[in-house]
Amino acid sequence: MKSVLVLYYSRGGHTARISRAVADHLLSIGHKCDMMHINEAKAEGIDWAKYDVVALGACVLYGSYHKSVFEFSAQYQAELNSKASSFFSVNVVARNPEKRIPENNKYLQKFIELSAWKPNDVKVIAGKVDYPSWRWYDRMMIQLIMKITDGPTDPKSVIDYTDWEDVKVYAEHLISLAK
């Protein structure tokens, strides 16, 4: 039995839902798993010694990750490097299968370039378009981006592009990283 910590940054809740699916699957197959938002982790602290594997996930908005993701990975770079660890990027551009390949996903590559932590293991997970739940400004900006990239622009669209079976495969992959 392995112990996994899933850390995440989620703005609209979808990355939290993906993190929960990873945790639930690991628990269902007999492993231990805790999950924490990075803000909670910073406030409460992390007992790094409890975990065999750490996964950090974050969503992309407007072409980048929230600054707190970069701050967290810089602050805990040594701890992340001392463990088997993985970074997963949740973004809607990954609705296209070729953009799920890490080398073809410019958002993931941007994280690797800009982050103090250089994860050895990475994963791209397709996100969710949820226009009705977004603030008007976000909705307008994302509609513009979607128009440019031939994505959905209907303001009533709610489309979950996440491959939930692949999320389970990723969860099991995390166990294979344990030393």
Side-chain angles (χ1 to χ4, degrees), residues 116-141:
W117 171 51
K118 306 299 183 206
N120 290 324
D121 187 80
V122 294
K123 176 70 174 170
V124 179
I125 299 173
K128 179 179 179 180
V129 170
D130 189 355
Y131 288 120
S133 74
W134 293 338
R135 297 178 300 189
W136 72 270
Y137 179 78
D138 291 337
R139 184 173 53 249
M140 299 272 294
M141 293 302 295

Side-chain angles (χ1 to χ4, degrees), residues 12-15 17-18 59-61 90-96 125-135 138-147 149-162 164:
H14 195 67
T15 303
R17 186 172 165 220
I18 290 168
C59 56
V60 172
L61 184 65
V90 178
N91 56 78
V92 176
V93 74
R95 70 187 183 279
N96 298 318
I125 299 173
K128 179 179 179 180
V129 170
D130 189 355
Y131 288 120
S133 74
W134 293 338
R135 297 178 300 189
D138 291 337
R139 184 173 53 249
M140 299 272 294
M141 293 302 295
I142 294 169
Q143 281 176 306
L144 177 62
I145 293 166
M146 287 294 184
K147 184 174 178 115
T149 62
D150 295 322
T153 58
D154 180 346
K156 295 178 181 148
S157 292
V158 177
I159 306 168
D160 184 352
Y161 292 103
T162 306
W164 293 101

Side-chain angles (χ1 to χ4, degrees), residues 17-117:
R17 186 172 165 220
I18 290 168
S19 298
R20 172 56 56 207
V22 168
D24 287 348
H25 184 65
L26 289 172
L27 292 167
S28 78
I29 60 173
H31 297 283
K32 293 180 181 178
C33 188
D34 293 327
M35 149 183 167
M36 297 174 87
H37 191 284
I38 60 173
N39 292 342
E40 175 189 3
K42 284 177 77 170
E44 294 185 14
I46 301 168
D47 181 0
W48 296 95
K50 278 179 53 177
Y51 303 103
D52 300 303
V53 181
V54 178
L56 172 60
C59 56
V60 172
L61 184 65
Y62 303 128
S64 191
Y65 304 89
H66 192 269
K67 68 180 182 175
S68 64
V69 176
F70 291 105
E71 291 167 358
F72 183 90
S73 61
Q75 181 177 351
Y76 295 104
Q77 177 183 357
E79 291 84 353
L80 290 165
N81 284 332
S82 73
K83 296 275 175 197
S85 58
S86 181
F87 177 76
F88 64 96
S89 172
V90 178
N91 56 78
V92 176
V93 74
R95 70 187 183 279
N96 298 318
E98 69 276 2
K99 299 296 184 184
R100 290 182 210 137
I101 299 166
E103 296 77 17
N104 295 344
N105 190 285
K106 66 182 179 180
Y107 303 120
L108 175 60
Q109 293 305 312
K110 187 175 184 179
F111 177 82
I112 293 168
E113 177 187 330
L114 298 176
S115 174
W117 171 51

Side-chain angles (χ1 to χ4, degrees), residues 160-173:
D160 184 352
Y161 292 103
T162 306
D163 180 341
W164 293 101
E165 287 304 310
D166 190 51
V167 170
K168 290 179 184 177
V169 170
Y170 175 63
E172 292 174 23
H173 168 75

